[in-house]
């Protein structure tokens, strides 16, 4: 994501938010659904590919969406919006991780009736990723129907006085 963020920034400047958001949400959807079918024999290469897709999708979504949403505001509201977005992202990440782990643990405990802890844990992980996939579907609908913007206007640079 660190490598892709400057690239997605340039792409945002060139094409606007909509194409980036669509690519990002589709990558997130494919990778999240792909990660919801793990077994005890899932290869490390498969996990690396799906996680790389997920990280690429996040890079196409996070910075461009924050930039787009903040630039919809005027003057003094930008600083407040940036602070609110940063706080909400942190809190939502913590809450989402807690809910995901709780769901994973619940499903793993329900499936661990025969002492196969690893298989039950994989089932719990799958359940958590299926729940995440459902959230990404909602996100995809929002992106497809609500994220509309023209190519962003070029930045205006004030000329300094000599």
């Amino acid at each position: 994501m660190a490598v892709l963020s400057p690239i997605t920034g340039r792409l945002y400047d060139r094409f606007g938010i909509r194409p980036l958001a669509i690519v990002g949400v589709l990558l997130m959807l494919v990778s999240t659904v792909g990660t919801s079918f793990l077994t005890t024999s899932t290869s490390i290469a498969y996990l690396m590919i799906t996680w790389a897709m997920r990280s690429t999708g996040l890079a196409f979504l996070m910075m461009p969406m924050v930039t787009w949403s903040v630039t919809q505001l005027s003057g003094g509201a930008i600083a407040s919006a940036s602070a609110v977005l940063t706080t909400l992202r942190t809190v939502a990440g913590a809450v989402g991780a807690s809910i995901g782990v709780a769901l994973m643990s619940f499903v793993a405990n329900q499936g661990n009736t025969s002492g196969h802890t690893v298989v039950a844990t994989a089932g719990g992980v799958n359940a958590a990723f299926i729940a995440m996939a459902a959230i990404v579907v909602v996100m995809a609908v929002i992106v497809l129907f609500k994220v509309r913007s023209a190519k962003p206007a070029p930045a205006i640079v004030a000329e300094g006085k000599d």
Side-chain angles (χ1 to χ4, degrees), residues 1 11 22 29 53 61 65 81 87 98 104 123 145-146 151:
M1 284 179 56
L11 291 171
I22 290 171
L29 185 60
M53 286 176 62
L61 284 170
M65 287 296 278
T87 302
S98 299
M104 179 190 77
F145 293 106
K146 295 295 183 183
K151 186 175 164 184

Side-chain angles (χ1 to χ4, degrees), residues 75-99:
I78 292 174
S80 296
S82 181
V84 168
L85 282 170
T86 301
T87 302
L88 285 176
R89 183 174 42 211
T90 303
V91 170
V95 170
S98 299
I99 291 170

Side-chain angles (χ1 to χ4, degrees), residues 26-119:
L26 288 176
L27 285 170
M28 288 288 297
L29 185 60
V30 169
S31 64
T32 304
V33 169
T35 310
S36 65
F37 297 107
L38 302 177
T39 66
T40 56
S41 62
T42 301
S43 72
I44 296 296
Y46 179 82
L47 288 173
M48 289 173 58
I49 291 167
T50 56
W51 207 255
M53 286 176 62
R54 186 174 182 77
S55 294
T56 302
L58 281 171
F60 270 73
L61 284 170
M62 294 297 284
M63 187 276 304
M65 287 296 278
V66 168
T67 302
W68 174 72
S69 61
V70 170
T71 58
Q72 304 302 305
L73 303 171
S74 61
I78 292 174
S80 296
S82 181
V84 168
L85 282 170
T86 301
T87 302
L88 285 176
R89 183 174 42 211
T90 303
V91 170
V95 170
S98 299
I99 291 170
V101 169
L103 178 62
M104 179 190 77
S105 298
F106 176 77
V107 172
N109 288 335
Q110 297 299 314
N112 194 14
T113 57
S114 60
H116 291 86
T117 305
V118 174
V119 173

